[in-house]
Amino acid sequence: MSNTNQQPPAPNGAHHELGNGKKHILINAFDMSTVGHLSPGQWKNPVDKSATKRRLDYWIELAKLLERGGVNALFLADTYGGYDTYEGSVDNCIRRAAQWPITDPTIPISAMAAVTKNLSFAITASTSFEPPYLLAKRFSTLDHFTQGRIGWNIVTSWKKSAFKAIGLDNPIEHDERYRQADEYLRVLYKLWESSWSPTALSPDPANDSYVDPAQVRTINHKGKYFSLDAKHIVDPSPQRTPFLFQAGTSSAGSDFAATHAEAIFVSGHSPSVLRPKIDAIRALAAQKGRDPRSIKVFATFTPIVADTDELAQEKLKELKKYASTIGGLVLVSGWTGIDLSKLPLDKEISKEDSVEAHKVTSILDNFTTASTEHPRWTPRLVAEHAAIGGLGPVSVGSPQTVADELERWVKEADVDGFNIGYVTTPGTFEEVVDLLIPELRRRGVYPELPDPSEEPVTAREKIYGKGQNGLRDDHEGSRYKYHLYQEDPPYKSEEEGQA
């Protein structure tokens, strides 16, 4: 049953301070159930184990490693179709193992939870392909099995190949996807927060009663996109609603994040490019009555760490031997909607080059916005970046050098933490656990490992403080709590409303 005795959230939405007045940096490990995630081609590297991800022991050993380092969460990306913008074909996506093949990220979670106590898990799942009722059941189950250590990275899907796989010729238009996703979330809040009373599960052996049916509400939802007439089939899990991540900083995505996200996942090669987007989301959240600091921002970041700067540069030189430049271009072409195979190598890339309607608008913006670090983006420059690190900055150096860069991003971009991408796995994550995190601890910006005698906390408590299992009171979903719930009137189209 869920914990209803919640303490007030940390002031100003701050995650834990370490007793030294410093806000700690949050670190997630960023992985994907595929061979070539953000650094395609490294499967050829003898030290890389990404080709073993179809074995459960890969995930079990990774979870143990991250637990040992005190990493906040394992954040798992996902996708539902191949990248077919580059050369107008999916062939190079398949050939270069550029996020292909890919398995379901939810399956290994229980095995990883069984060998850890503190590591949280965030899984990417789309609002585009399955009814809310099914997703609600799956995440409630995972929240139970992980004892409250589950998060959901909310995405709306854009790939034509994915929509064709489920029998639809074309994806939903960009802004319409977010309107649909907004209703999707509200249906989920009704199931997770409104269906079960906190006291519904009340075993009474004398009367042969396990759950009081009078305290399990039927949700009647008749909306524009979804209809539902059901009780939630899973009893309240430790968090009820999983911790909510969201990726996307387009105008529609930012408004959605300001309403629903507890954390946002952003990507950009320069803090100066990301800062205005982050400021805008926090401002929107404040307009909606939320504490803007309660929204935690995680930036993609790929470190290559060694004992010295010189050794790290040698490591980078070795990694470049295995990088798949075409694999990287396949990914960036798909994300931006620009077929980079058709552009001259030194042509400056512009948004007008993106002729594909279905893409990730925020990533297109990242690769067409100038910054001090990158005054102009060309296919040649994209090719250099795409094969190692892909979506965000790559920092090469000693633990001190890379820690300096993390602190610079926190200050200049106003991020709260990072989704740490890997070049080789588990190599990059070993560098983070054994070299980078100890340096951050020495600086007083990363917490020590929890006392083994302490009770583990939920994913949400790790961010907002012990006792905050459920949604904060200023979150949109909190108005759907059982004792506050009011049924929404059925949706009527404009024509019906005028009748």
Side-chain angles (χ1 to χ4, degrees):
M1 287 183 285
S2 62
N3 178 8
T4 57
N5 299 316
Q6 293 178 354
Q7 299 172 358
N12 299 319
H15 46 270
H16 297 300
E17 292 186 349
L18 305 178
N20 57 11
K22 295 181 179 180
K23 184 180 73 172
H24 81 243
I25 294 173
L26 295 161
I27 286 184
N28 298 330
F30 190 26
D31 204 342
M32 192 177 196
S33 300
T34 192
V35 176
H37 182 198
L38 297 179
S39 297
Q42 293 298 324
W43 61 269
K44 297 169 290 186
N45 189 329
V47 304
D48 183 69
K49 295 185 179 178
S50 59
T52 69
K53 291 181 184 179
R54 276 96 74 197
R55 294 172 55 92
L56 204 52
D57 54 358
Y58 169 86
W59 298 104
I60 290 170
E61 293 306 313
L62 177 61
K64 289 178 181 178
L65 170 66
L66 302 178
E67 176 91 348
R68 177 166 67 80
V71 169
N72 176 62
L74 172 59
F75 187 106
L76 293 174
D78 196 18
T79 191
Y80 297 86
Y83 293 86
D84 55 7
T85 302
Y86 187 82
E87 295 183 341
S89 168
V90 77
D91 285 359
N92 267 311
C93 170
I94 296 172
R95 181 176 290 111
R96 317 292 173 174
Q99 298 187 7
W100 184 294
I102 184 166
T103 55
D104 191 314
T106 62
I107 307 302
I109 298 298
S110 295
M112 291 190 284
V115 297
T116 55
K117 279 180 61 178
N118 302 296
L119 180 67
S120 296
F121 307 93
I123 308 167
T124 299
S126 176
T127 59
S128 301
F129 297 137
E130 65 179 319
Y133 185 83
L134 298 183
L135 186 140
K137 181 182 180 185
R138 186 164 71 253
F139 274 88
S140 290
T141 303
L142 287 167
D143 201 48
H144 275 301
F145 287 175
T146 61
Q147 298 179 53
R149 291 184 283 146
I150 201 71
W152 173 26
N153 178 39
I154 308 161
V155 296
T156 65
S157 294
W158 54 273
K159 283 185 191 166
K160 277 197 285 192
S161 59
F163 278 84
K164 287 180 178 179
I166 62 165
L168 299 176
D169 288 337
N170 285 298
I172 304 164
E173 184 272 330
H174 180 273
D175 288 6
E176 186 76 3
R177 295 201 316 256
Y178 280 102
R179 288 189 285 271
Q180 181 194 57
D182 179 81
E183 185 181 327
Y184 197 102
L185 264 291
R186 295 177 192 280
V187 175
L188 289 172
Y189 296 145
K190 292 178 181 183
L191 291 167
W192 285 327
E193 302 287 341
S194 309
S195 189
W196 286 64
S197 159
T199 57
L201 202 163
S202 48
D204 180 3
N207 290 297
D208 190 24
S209 176
Y210 186 67
V211 176
D212 179 1
Q215 296 189 60
V216 184
R217 178 185 286 125
T218 298
I219 302 301
N220 293 293
H221 176 90
K222 306 296 179 188
K224 180 179 180 181
Y225 304 100
F226 304 102
S227 293
L228 179 78
D229 181 10
K231 304 174 189 289
H232 189 29
I233 200 167
V234 187
D235 56 301
S237 61
Q239 297 183 114
R240 285 195 179 239
T241 296
F243 187 79
L244 299 174
F245 286 88
Q246 187 262 340
T249 53
S250 64
S251 178
S254 295
D255 187 73
F256 181 89
T259 302
H260 298 288
E262 296 172 283
I264 60 171
F265 168 40
V266 298
S267 297
H269 291 87
S270 167
S272 64
V273 172
L274 285 181
R275 181 62 184 258
K277 299 177 181 181
I278 294 167
D279 288 347
I281 290 173
R282 295 201 198 277
L284 279 170
Q287 291 171 20
K288 295 173 184 289
R290 298 182 65 188
D291 177 354
R293 304 306 310 182
S294 72
I295 298 181
K296 304 306 174 186
V297 182
F298 291 80
T300 311
F301 190 95
T302 302
I304 298 172
V305 192
D307 289 329
T308 66
D309 288 348
E310 293 75 19
L311 287 173
Q313 289 295 335
E314 286 298 316
K315 188 177 287 188
L316 173 62
K317 188 183 299 183
E318 178 68 14
L319 293 168
K320 285 182 175 179
K321 295 178 184 177
Y322 303 99
S324 173
T325 299
I326 292 178
L329 292 174
V330 165
L331 295 176
V332 177
S333 291
W335 295 329
T336 60
I338 300 171
D339 183 353
L340 292 168
S341 72
K342 294 183 176 179
L343 299 185
L345 278 176
D346 294 306
K347 177 193 181 300
E348 183 168 1
I349 298 170
S350 70
K351 291 183 179 179
E352 287 68 36
D353 294 315
S354 180
V355 296
E356 171 56 64
H358 307 293
K359 58 207 170 200
V360 185
T361 304
S362 56
I363 297 180
L364 172 63
D365 189 49
N366 290 339
F367 282 102
T368 54
T369 302
S371 65
T372 304
E373 293 89 340
H374 304 294
R376 60 196 295 269
W377 283 100
T378 65
R380 190 186 302 276
L381 183 59
V382 169
E384 289 176 15
H385 283 268
I388 293 182
L391 277 174
V394 176
S395 181
V396 184
S398 67
Q400 295 77 18
T401 296
V402 176
D404 285 346
E405 188 68 355
L406 290 177
E407 292 201 274
R408 181 175 79 88
W409 272 72
V410 169
K411 181 179 179 181
E412 294 183 14
D414 193 25
V415 298
D416 299 284
F418 300 90
N419 275 1
I420 298 291
Y422 68 88
V423 185
T424 66
T425 181
T428 298
F429 299 128
E430 290 170 341
E431 294 164 15
V432 169
V433 166
D434 294 328
L435 297 174
L436 182 56
I437 285 178
E439 173 62 24
L440 295 173
R441 285 195 177 117
R442 280 191 287 272
R443 297 179 181 211
V445 294
Y446 204 84
E448 297 297 329
L449 290 169
D451 187 326
S453 65
E454 292 182 2
E455 281 294 309
V457 297
T458 64
R460 189 169 281 110
E461 287 177 296
K462 290 176 79 172
I463 302 298
Y464 293 135
K466 196 167 185 179
Q468 189 66 45
N469 289 331
L471 295 168
R472 287 168 48 98
D473 288 343
D474 62 352
H475 188 279
E476 179 69 12
S478 67
R479 73 182 184 89
Y480 292 91
K481 290 180 179 178
Y482 186 86
H483 65 286
L484 298 175
Y485 180 72
Q486 292 184 335
E487 195 69 67
D488 294 326
Y491 169 78
K492 290 185 178 180
S493 65
E494 289 185 15
E495 293 78 8
E496 290 172 320
Q498 294 170 357

